[in-house]
């Protein structure tokens, strides 16, 4: 969880001196591998990391994979994640 949170921060922080997309991708990939690419929250972090390095095709593919896993999750967390991922796919499609 710590690596996942750090990857999120490195990918999304507003301060350009702190942002490090390449390190975010490395950390997020490591966590995704540890979870066998089956944790949609981890995949959302990986999608953000790919977007941070402008690898938008990879970002969309990972977001879609996470959406497949979230599926019909009707919990509040599931709904929030689905909205985040769907907007992410749309945002990166531009």
């Amino acid at each position: 969880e710590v690596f996942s949170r750090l990857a999120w921060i490195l990918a999304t922080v507003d301060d350009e001196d702190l942002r490090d997309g390449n390190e975010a991708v490395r950390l997020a990939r490591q966590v995704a591998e540890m979870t066998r690419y089956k944790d949609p929250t981890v995949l959302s972090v990986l999608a953000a990391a790919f977007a941070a390095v402008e690898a938008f095709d990879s970002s969309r593919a990972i977001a879609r994979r996470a959406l497949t896993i979230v599926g019909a999750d009707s919990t509040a967390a599931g709904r929030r994640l689905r909205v985040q991922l769907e907007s992410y796919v749309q945002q990166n499609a531009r």
Side-chain angles (χ1 to χ4, degrees):
E1 187 175 328
V2 172
F3 288 144
S4 186
R5 287 181 186 213
L6 179 56
W8 177 261
I9 291 166
L10 291 171
T12 63
V13 67
D14 287 334
D15 186 334
E16 289 185 25
D17 291 334
L18 297 176
R19 191 175 324 127
D20 186 343
N22 291 319
E23 182 65 6
V25 169
R26 188 188 72 74
L27 289 170
R29 271 190 174 150
Q30 185 177 4
V31 177
E33 288 172 6
M34 291 182 342
T35 61
R36 298 183 184 192
Y37 291 84
K38 293 183 180 182
D39 183 326
T41 303
V42 170
L43 294 178
S44 72
V45 172
L46 182 55
F50 277 130
V53 296
E54 298 182 3
F56 297 116
D57 288 342
S58 294
S59 180
R60 279 192 299 275
I62 291 295
R64 286 187 180 114
R65 185 173 184 169
L67 281 168
T68 301
I69 295 168
V70 172
D73 183 351
S74 62
T75 66
R79 287 191 300 271
R80 280 192 305 273
L81 184 57
R82 192 170 32 261
V83 167
Q84 174 192 358
L85 290 166
E86 287 170 352
S87 68
Y88 211 59
V89 170
Q90 293 303 317
Q91 176 188 25
N92 291 331
R94 296 179 191 150

